[in-house]
């Protein structure tokens, strides 16, 4: 039997729930879809933990479940994920009115979010997993079941496209 | 040497082995186009990394985590009371049977009260950690 420590479902929710929510939020651009996705992911994690047998890293397993849940949700809904951020959702970003600098930062964040949503899904996902979630190239490759070289290419091209969109 | 392409992103992220890293560094010294491209992807990376962390609505994780925890205090509370009652009974019987053998400065009522209070405050307290009665 493996000595690997398998977290409980509550620990996964507590330790990773916020990160999964941010992943979902940045991919969808809205709080409602992010909310639904986190619920779906955590339910799958709860079911999956019962039969979880560690073969790779736990994070690799978790993010495989997360991205699969996300892709399933997109297929199920058959709707464009490029929904602009409604006004009501902006409160969640914590961008409270303040000095000019804060407002400029909030505006830039909205621009970056909009630009992210314009990226092809594969590029957006790679960039978000790398720069929002903080996974290494190898962990992204594991989660997405693609070669590390493909991860490298998607991240680089995604960032270049972002730069072009935000000029 | 041709331009570096996606090696630049991996270079920026510290994802290259030492040999490739040295090769990219050497190329960057002589190639303005690649230096500009590196600056572009670094800017984009910072823009995404500086996006604010968004707090999930409290109802989301709170409900999910709480849905399994809600029942636990009730179970533990009943269990704690049951164990406390048994312990208190055992203590009383022990004192009745051998009052002379218990050389304790504690008042038995206080001792039982303290134990019950501990079991209620900290449901994780087990019978092993509770006071042991008898001669």
């Amino acid at each position: 039997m493996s000595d690997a420590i398998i977290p409980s479902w509550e620990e996964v929710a507590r330790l990773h729930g916020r990160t999964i929510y941010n992943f979902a939020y940045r991919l969808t651009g809205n709080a409602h879809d992010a909310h639904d996705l986190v619920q779906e992911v955590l339910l799958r994690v709860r079911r999956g933990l019962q039969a979880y047998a560690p073969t790779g890293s736990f994070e690799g397993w978790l993010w495989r479940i997360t991205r699969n849940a996300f892709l399933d949700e997109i297929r199920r809904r058959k709707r464009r994920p490029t929904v602009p951020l409604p006004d009501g959702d902006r409160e969640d970003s914590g961008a409270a009115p303040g000095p000019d600098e804060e407002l400029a930062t909030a505006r830039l964040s909205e621009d970056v979010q909009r630009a992210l949503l314009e990226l092809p899904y594969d590029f957006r996902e790679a960039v978000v997993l790398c720069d929002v979630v903080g996974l290494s190239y190898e962990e992204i490759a594991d989660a997405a079941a693609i070669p590390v070289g493909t991860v490298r290419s998607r991240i680089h091209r995604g960032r270049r496209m972002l730069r072009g969109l935000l000029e | 040497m041709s331009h570096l392409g996606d090696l630049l992103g991996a270079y920026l992220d510290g994802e290259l082995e030492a040999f490739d890293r040295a090769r990219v560094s050497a190329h960057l010294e002589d190639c303005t186009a690649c230096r500009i491209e590196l600056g572009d992807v670094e800017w984009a990376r910072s823009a995404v990394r500086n996006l604010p962390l968004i707090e999930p609505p409290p109802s989301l994780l709170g409900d999910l985590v709480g849905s399994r925890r809600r029942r636990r205090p009730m179970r533990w509370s009943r269990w704690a009371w049951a164990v406390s009652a048994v312990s208190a009974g055992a203590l009383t019987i022990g004192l009745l049977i051998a009052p002379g053998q218990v050389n304790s400065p504690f008042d038995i009522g206080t001792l039982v009260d303290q134990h019950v209070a501990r079991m209620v405050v900290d449901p994780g307290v087990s019978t092993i950690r509770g006071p042991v009665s008898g001669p």
Side-chain angles (χ1 to χ4, degrees):
Chain A
M1 188 173 171
S2 169
D3 291 334
I5 297 171
I6 301 171
S8 69
W9 179 81
E10 287 89 346
E11 285 172 329
V12 174
R14 186 164 48 81
L15 296 175
H16 300 281
R18 184 182 287 121
T19 312
I20 295 170
Y21 183 81
N22 275 266
F23 166 80
Y25 191 99
R26 294 308 173 195
L27 285 188
T28 63
N30 75 81
H32 182 261
D33 287 348
H35 185 284
D36 288 354
L37 180 76
V38 174
Q39 281 190 323
E40 176 61 24
V41 168
L42 291 178
L43 288 173
R44 288 189 190 200
V45 166
R46 180 143 79 180
R47 285 197 296 264
L49 275 176
Q50 292 166 6
Y52 175 67
T55 50
S57 71
F58 177 78
E59 279 71 19
W61 178 82
L62 176 65
W63 286 102
R64 243 187 336 271
I65 284 187
T66 302
R67 73 178 296 275
N68 286 342
F70 184 78
L71 291 173
D72 288 348
E73 196 68 10
I74 289 177
R75 288 187 202 107
R76 193 175 67 80
R77 294 183 179 197
K78 294 191 184 307
R79 58 184 278 192
R80 289 180 303 122
T82 52
V83 180
L85 215 59
D87 285 340
D89 288 345
R90 288 180 186 156
E91 290 176 14
D92 291 340
S93 69
D100 289 348
E101 195 178 326
E102 283 184 29
L103 288 173
T105 304
R107 275 194 210 102
L108 176 61
S109 295
E110 288 173 19
D111 290 345
V112 174
Q113 178 66 64
R114 263 192 292 274
L116 267 176
L117 294 175
E118 289 188 43
L119 298 185
Y121 177 77
D122 288 344
F123 296 172
R124 187 180 351 141
E125 178 192 65
V127 168
V128 169
L129 284 173
C130 183
D131 293 330
V132 175
V133 177
L135 298 187
S136 68
Y137 285 17
E138 197 172 329
E139 288 169 329
I140 297 170
D142 186 22
I146 52 175
V148 171
T150 306
V151 173
R152 189 169 75 187
S153 168
R154 287 180 181 177
I155 290 173
H156 185 68
R157 292 175 66 189
R159 286 174 179 160
R160 286 194 68 190
M161 290 173 78
L162 274 179
R163 184 69 182 105
L165 288 165
L166 290 164
E167 266 178 344
Chain B
M1 181 180 178
S2 60
H3 293 306
L4 296 167
D6 58 24
L7 280 176
L8 285 170
Y11 175 78
L12 185 65
D13 290 328
E15 292 274 356
L16 292 180
E17 299 293 332
F19 175 79
D20 284 330
R21 201 164 54 242
R23 196 162 61 96
V24 170
S25 292
H27 178 87
L28 283 170
E29 286 183 16
D30 299 326
C31 181
T32 306
C34 282
R35 280 201 302 276
I36 291 172
E37 187 172 337
L38 180 66
D40 284 348
V41 292
E42 188 170 13
W43 185 91
R45 184 178 78 154
S46 295
V48 177
R49 288 188 174 186
N50 288 334
L51 284 168
L53 184 72
I54 300 171
E55 284 299 323
S59 59
L60 176 61
L61 298 177
D63 279 357
L64 287 168
V65 173
S67 64
R68 278 168 63 91
R69 285 184 173 167
R70 262 196 297 273
R71 285 171 291 174
R72 282 190 177 173
M74 286 298 291
R75 280 206 302 268
W76 273 107
S77 179
R78 284 195 209 106
W79 176 241
W81 278 107
V83 170
S84 297
V86 170
S87 299
L91 272 168
T92 308
I93 290 167
L95 288 173
L96 287 173
I97 291 172
Q101 293 181 43
V102 177
N103 184 22
S104 167
F106 301 113
D107 168 63
I108 184 63
T110 307
L111 195 61
V112 171
D113 286 347
Q114 285 174 345
H115 177 60
V116 170
R118 254 174 71 210
M119 298 294 280
V120 172
V121 170
D122 179 10
V125 167
S126 71
T127 52
I128 296 170
R129 286 170 57 202
V132 177
S133 63

